[in-house]
Amino acid sequence: MAERGRPELYEVFDERFRTGRCTSGDARLEVLYDGCRWAEGPIYLPAWRQVIWSDIPNDRMLRWDEETGTVGVFRRDAGHPNGNTLDREGRLISCEQGNRRVTRTEHDGTLTVLADRWQGKRLNSPNDATVKSDGSVWFSDPDFGITTDYEGHRGTSEIGAGNVYRIDPATGEVRLVAEGFGAPNGLVFSADESRLFVSDTRAGYVRVFDVRDDGTLSGGTVFADASARPDARFDNLRFDADGRLWVAAMDDGVHCYDPDGTLIGRLDVPEAVANIAWGGAKRNRLFLAAESSLYSVVTSVTGTHPAPGPARRS
């Protein structure tokens, strides 16, 4: 595969980025594919050793095979998909901006609609999703897919705001759990699921919420502020096994935050990074969806699984 990168892939702001061995991996980015219009939502499927990701304007999902390096179309007319994740059973959860819904791809390939409305009103354009160990699916719903026809279909928000929602695993009820965003985007749980981190692209923050046992949230304080870096706009986010938060920061590459909220380093990427995901046999390969390309870099740290651990039973 081709390699691409500037002379220094890693930029160190705090020695913890170096001492935590975050800079000891590959020195350059590997280009896996460069034929997208706007790439988003990579997710690694361990059973198939493949990455599936979204090419939103082209209304398709693509598939890269780790064993052969080949790329093919996973799904066409895919509803202008954005973020993807896995549930407890390894099924694909996708946010379809154009269809204004969240779906699950079953093991036989059929689609199940998990959410397309809240209180009878159509969703805006679901953007990203994460799954909790109780099987609940949490997703963000900004308006990116209805503002123009480029990443969806121009339309009007029936809800009138961008919120974060929870889908109950038993009843399918869609519940609003967080509001007051400019444009909620990426979201991820801490390892113990006691906190939910949500990026707000328009406000320029990553906010952190406390998760209650009943599936509601409290708090919402600012964990990271994009204004510290003029080119940064926050998109999706992922944790590594040591509790550092890695954030796709668009024109400012990929940010790495210490658990205390300090920006300790970044990856310098030649295109705007929209989404990232950990994968590979050791889960130490970081996949980056950036503008027209899918990149990867084998790192010296290990990422967390998008849906770690078995489902809890009552």
Side-chain angles (χ1 to χ4, degrees):
M1 289 294 176
E3 291 185 340
R4 186 185 302 169
R6 296 174 182 142
E8 294 295 335
L9 174 60
Y10 306 94
E11 185 174 3
V12 178
F13 302 132
D14 185 296
E15 278 303 305
R16 285 174 288 183
F17 194 52
R18 201 187 316 273
T19 59
R21 302 190 63 80
C22 299
T23 62
S24 301
D26 287 350
R28 287 185 173 271
L29 295 168
E30 186 176 4
V31 184
L32 306 180
Y33 184 75
D34 64 355
C36 297
R37 276 199 164 90
W38 184 258
E40 294 255 14
I43 186 69
Y44 181 80
L45 282 66
W48 302 101
R49 294 187 62 188
Q50 294 179 343
V51 174
I52 288 176
W53 80 100
S54 303
D55 182 3
I56 304 176
N58 283 325
D59 194 14
R60 62 181 182 170
M61 300 171 75
L62 297 172
R63 172 174 47 203
W64 171 81
D65 186 88
E66 187 175 27
E67 184 67 25
T68 66
T70 57
V71 172
V73 176
F74 174 74
R75 183 180 295 153
R76 296 188 189 276
D77 301 321
H80 296 279
N82 194 319
N84 301 287
T85 192
L86 299 178
D87 72 0
R88 320 308 302 174
E89 298 180 31
R91 295 172 296 186
L92 182 68
I93 306 293
S94 300
C95 294
E96 300 179 11
Q97 289 191 164
N99 290 332
R100 301 172 73 161
R101 67 187 189 180
V102 180
T103 61
R104 181 177 66 218
T105 302
E106 307 296 345
H107 292 304
D108 64 1
T110 59
L111 286 181
T112 298
V113 177
L114 301 181
D116 60 4
R117 294 179 183 271
W118 172 69
Q119 295 187 347
K121 301 174 182 178
R122 291 189 73 190
L123 299 172
N124 297 322
S125 56
N127 185 283
D128 198 14
T130 189
V131 179
K132 199 168 179 282
S133 62
D134 62 1
S136 58
V137 178
W138 303 57
F139 68 94
S140 59
D141 185 41
D143 63 0
F144 299 143
I146 59 175
T147 54
T148 72
D149 290 316
Y150 188 69
E151 293 189 1
H153 306 289
R154 186 189 300 272
T156 302
S157 173
E158 297 182 13
I159 297 171
N163 302 316
V164 174
Y165 299 92
R166 175 187 183 270
I167 306 172
D168 187 274
T171 67
E173 176 195 9
V174 179
R175 180 199 299 173
L176 188 154
V177 291
E179 55 189 331
F181 298 93
N185 200 322
L187 66 170
V188 66
F189 285 103
S190 60
D192 63 1
E193 300 184 324
S194 66
R195 296 188 296 170
L196 178 70
F197 292 74
V198 183
S199 69
D200 187 335
T201 301
R202 290 200 180 106
Y205 300 133
V206 172
R207 296 170 61 187
V208 56
F209 297 85
D210 295 318
V211 183
R212 301 188 182 103
D213 291 339
D214 64 357
T216 60
L217 301 177
S218 62
T221 58
V222 173
F223 176 80
D225 185 346
S227 65
R229 302 280 303 179
D231 293 331
R233 288 177 293 142
F234 292 147
D235 205 301
N236 92 318
L237 32 152
R238 293 288 184 263
F239 277 106
D240 68 23
D242 294 314
R244 290 175 292 253
L245 185 67
W246 297 72
V247 181
M250 300 297 283
D251 291 324
D252 204 39
V254 179
H255 289 189
C256 180
Y257 292 88
D258 187 78
D260 69 4
T262 303
L263 176 60
I264 59 174
R266 63 182 283 270
L267 303 184
D268 191 10
V269 182
E271 295 183 90
V273 185
N275 281 189
I276 56 176
W278 297 103
K282 298 180 180 179
R283 200 157 290 281
N284 66 337
R285 190 171 189 171
L286 186 64
F287 295 93
L288 302 84
E291 292 190 27
S292 66
S293 306
L294 179 71
Y295 298 90
S296 80
V297 56
V298 178
T299 72
S300 49
V301 299
T302 303
T304 58
H305 192 279
R312 293 172 184 154
R313 300 183 183 274
S314 56

